[in-house]
Amino acid sequence: MGTSVASDTNDHLIDSTNADHPANLICTLCRNFYSLGWVTGTGGGTSIRQGPYIFIAPSGVQKELMQPTNIFVLDYESQTYLRKPPALKPSACTPLFLAAFDRGAGCCIHTHSQWAVLVTLLAERDAKAAGQDVAVRCFEIEQIEQIKGIPKGRGRQGMLGFFDRLKIPIIENTAHEEDLTSSLEIAMEKYPDSYAVLVRRHGIYVWGDDVQKAKTQAER
């Protein structure tokens, strides 16, 4: 994803002492998710959109050791890399992050949470036991306190309540991350009120209008 790179390093795009700058926030989020056990090694990823720029965690960097200098910067409109760190590869999650940004998200988070993986396996088991098509099964839950931090849906006011039902679609895993893009986009269209998509035997993608909302929804 991305076609060309600017001739200079464009380090000014990631150089900031502000803790809320996207390049710094991505590193903080990745360290936090590592400490929670949601990502290990180089797995998972995070991306933030700020104006015309998309800031993306790289592939191949240990999440707890990530530095702002490791961050890629993509121009959203042209899909051109403005900053591409030497010797690093762009995240394979990039087209999936962009799918979230195309739908108005300001931040998208991908983790390999074992809890998320377990949920997909339980949904698969229950579908088979009920004689249902596993491919159309989604995760549904209600009457649990944690869903009260999840918005009702894009364009709708307020958060889910204790007696509301949260639905999160589940898509099948693929051999290569970027090949999930089409399935993710279909799930987004089918479940427009969802802010997350589970990937069976893999993990979860969560997005929000901004970093704080995406983080809160991922933690829920």
Side-chain angles (χ1 to χ4, degrees):
M1 182 60 61
T3 56
S4 63
V5 185
S7 58
D8 57 52
T9 60
N10 276 336
D11 283 351
H12 69 280
L13 294 172
I14 54 90
D15 187 13
S16 175
T17 58
N18 185 349
D20 291 331
H21 186 281
N24 296 324
L25 272 176
I26 287 174
C27 298
T28 300
L29 289 171
C30 287
R31 284 193 292 270
N32 288 346
F33 296 151
Y34 173 83
S35 69
L36 291 170
W38 292 359
V39 295
T40 57
T42 63
T46 301
S47 183
I48 297 171
R49 179 178 180 182
Q50 186 178 77
Y53 304 127
I54 306 294
F55 296 80
I56 310 167
S59 176
V61 176
Q62 301 287 320
K63 292 297 181 285
E64 77 278 19
L65 301 178
M66 192 174 297
Q67 300 296 322
T69 52
N70 301 140
I71 302 301
F72 284 76
V73 183
L74 187 73
D75 177 73
Y76 177 67
E77 184 175 351
S78 67
Q79 306 282 292
T80 299
Y81 282 107
L82 303 177
R83 185 178 191 278
K84 195 171 184 180
L88 292 179
K89 295 181 179 180
S91 172
C93 304
T94 299
L96 292 99
F97 293 149
L98 290 173
F101 297 137
D102 287 344
R103 287 158 178 79
C107 176
C108 187
I109 295 165
H110 173 47
T111 77
H112 293 170
S113 163
Q114 294 180 17
W115 299 111
V117 174
L118 179 60
V119 161
T120 70
L121 296 176
L122 292 174
E124 179 180 12
R125 180 202 63 183
D126 292 347
K128 290 179 178 178
Q132 298 175 341
D133 184 356
V134 174
V136 300
R137 188 81 171 193
C138 68
F139 171 65
E140 301 184 39
I141 193 168
E142 61 185 350
Q143 297 187 38
I144 189 165
E145 185 71 13
Q146 283 76 8
I147 68 171
K148 291 165 67 174
I150 307 296
K152 289 184 176 180
R154 189 161 302 282
R156 302 174 64 187
Q157 294 295 318
M159 302 291 184
L160 292 174
F162 182 76
F163 294 103
D164 291 324
R165 176 170 289 237
L166 172 67
K167 294 183 179 182
I168 302 178
I170 303 173
I171 62 176
E172 299 302 323
N173 195 28
T174 56
H176 304 287
E177 192 91 29
E178 56 270 25
D179 293 339
L180 290 167
T181 307
S182 177
S183 296
L184 182 87
E185 291 175 332
I186 291 171
M188 287 174 162
E189 293 299 320
K190 186 175 181 180
Y191 295 89
D193 289 335
S194 180
Y195 285 86
V197 171
L198 288 155
V199 183
R200 199 180 319 279
R201 303 172 184 269
H202 183 148
I204 189 169
Y205 281 84
V206 183
W207 57 92
D209 294 340
D210 54 37
V211 176
Q212 181 179 356
K213 291 179 180 179
K215 175 179 177 290
T216 299
Q217 287 150 207
E219 291 171 340
R220 293 285 175 171

